[in-house]
Amino acid sequence: GAGVSQSPSNKVTEKGKDVELRCDPISGHTALYWYRQSLGQGLEFLIYFQGNSAPDKSGLPSDRFSAERTGGSVSTLTIQRTQQEDSAVYLCASSLGPNQPQHFGDGTRLSIL
Amino acid sequence: EDQVTQSPEALRLQEGESSSLNCSYTVSGLRGLFWYRQDPGKGPEFLFTLYSAGEEKEKERLKATLTKKESFLHITAPKPEDSATYLCAVQAAPRGAQKLVFGQGTRLTINP
């Protein structure tokens, strides 16, 4: 079946602009996660959504980062006033529920000029 | 703070030469340990979940094992298509904590 889908696959933008990244989870998966992968930093957790519960935002690095999940399915990660240190691959994952294996999309490669 | 350390950072093997990758972890109660494979330009691909010391899982040429402090990914008679970065991650036990904490990965190259 279809895996986690992310768009765009690549995004280049100027410093100071806002960007929106989209994630379509696997159908039927109730849990959704965002991670960031930077050179030398590895994968770091950003935010977790589960059903209608309040999201776990503990990994968001600053208030410029926000995410929402509409209708329990599609999620959007928004970065406002982008900085060069925001350049990274942003990965989305979904799972059947809590404590289940997380399945990743291929990510959005974000480059801030 | 939960930590995961993988070694070696990079490993080159000849086709058919078996070896092991190490994942050492420090976590406030382990809920699960996960192994992923990542190819260049792709997202991590799930391989195994291990939940308790002594547990083993196998898939083709790969076998993952778990102790109270570390996990090993054993690769038997590898082929060039096994070349990838292998990532280890832990999920801690506190209720509601769902995030995975990843190691830096081991970049494995299998030469034909």
Side-chain angles (χ1 to χ4, degrees):
Chain A
V4 175
S5 178
Q6 293 189 245
S7 60
S9 54
N10 287 281
K11 176 75 176 177
V12 180
T13 192
E14 294 179 347
K15 177 183 171 180
K17 300 286 189 182
D18 297 352
V19 294
E20 284 190 354
L21 313 179
R22 177 187 169 101
C23 173
D24 279 280
I26 295 171
S27 178
H29 281 197
T30 63
L32 186 146
Y33 316 77
W34 284 97
Y35 291 83
R36 177 168 72 174
Q37 188 170 31
S38 310
L39 282 175
Q41 295 284 352
L43 270 135
E44 55 176 337
F45 167 80
L46 297 176
I47 189 169
Y48 158 64
F49 295 90
Q50 170 56 47
N52 295 321
S53 302
D56 175 2
K57 303 179 182 180
S58 61
L60 295 178
S62 77
D63 59 8
R64 296 187 295 105
F65 288 72
S66 63
E68 63 177 21
R69 188 178 185 193
T70 53
S73 181
V74 172
S75 177
T76 302
L77 177 69
T78 301
I79 308 173
Q80 295 179 311
R81 306 180 302 283
T82 52
Q83 303 294 313
Q84 287 190 330
E85 61 263 29
D86 299 334
S87 295
V89 177
Y90 289 82
L91 290 160
C92 177
S94 69
S95 64
L96 274 171
N99 309 318
Q100 298 297 313
Q102 298 175 24
H103 298 273
F104 286 80
D106 287 337
T108 294
R109 183 174 299 276
L110 178 64
S111 300
I112 310 299
L113 302 180
Chain B
E1 183 182 345
D2 302 331
Q3 283 192 321
V4 177
T5 303
Q6 292 188 246
S7 62
E9 288 185 15
L11 181 62
R12 285 184 174 272
L13 301 171
Q14 290 299 121
E15 184 173 1
E17 180 185 2
S18 302
S19 188
S20 297
L21 313 182
N22 178 263
C23 170
S24 298
Y25 63 90
T26 304
V27 66
S28 54
L30 180 70
R31 179 177 291 160
L33 184 141
F34 300 80
W35 282 99
Y36 287 84
R37 168 195 171 123
Q38 187 171 28
D39 293 297
K42 301 290 188 181
E45 174 189 347
F46 171 71
L47 293 174
F48 304 110
T49 310
L50 301 166
Y51 294 103
S52 57
E55 189 175 0
E56 299 183 353
K57 294 271 180 75
E58 284 189 69
K59 180 180 178 180
E60 296 181 355
R61 296 176 291 283
L62 300 177
K63 183 168 83 171
T65 62
L66 181 65
T67 73
K68 288 186 178 179
K69 293 185 178 181
E70 57 191 351
S71 177
F72 291 93
L73 185 65
H74 306 278
I75 302 177
T76 301
K79 298 182 178 181
E81 53 261 42
D82 295 321
S83 297
T85 295
Y86 290 84
L87 298 168
C88 172
V90 296
Q91 190 175 54
R95 184 178 295 278
Q98 292 294 319
K99 70 176 184 181
L100 295 179
V101 176
F102 281 86
Q104 296 289 331
T106 293
R107 189 170 64 255
L108 177 65
T109 304
I110 308 299
N111 295 315

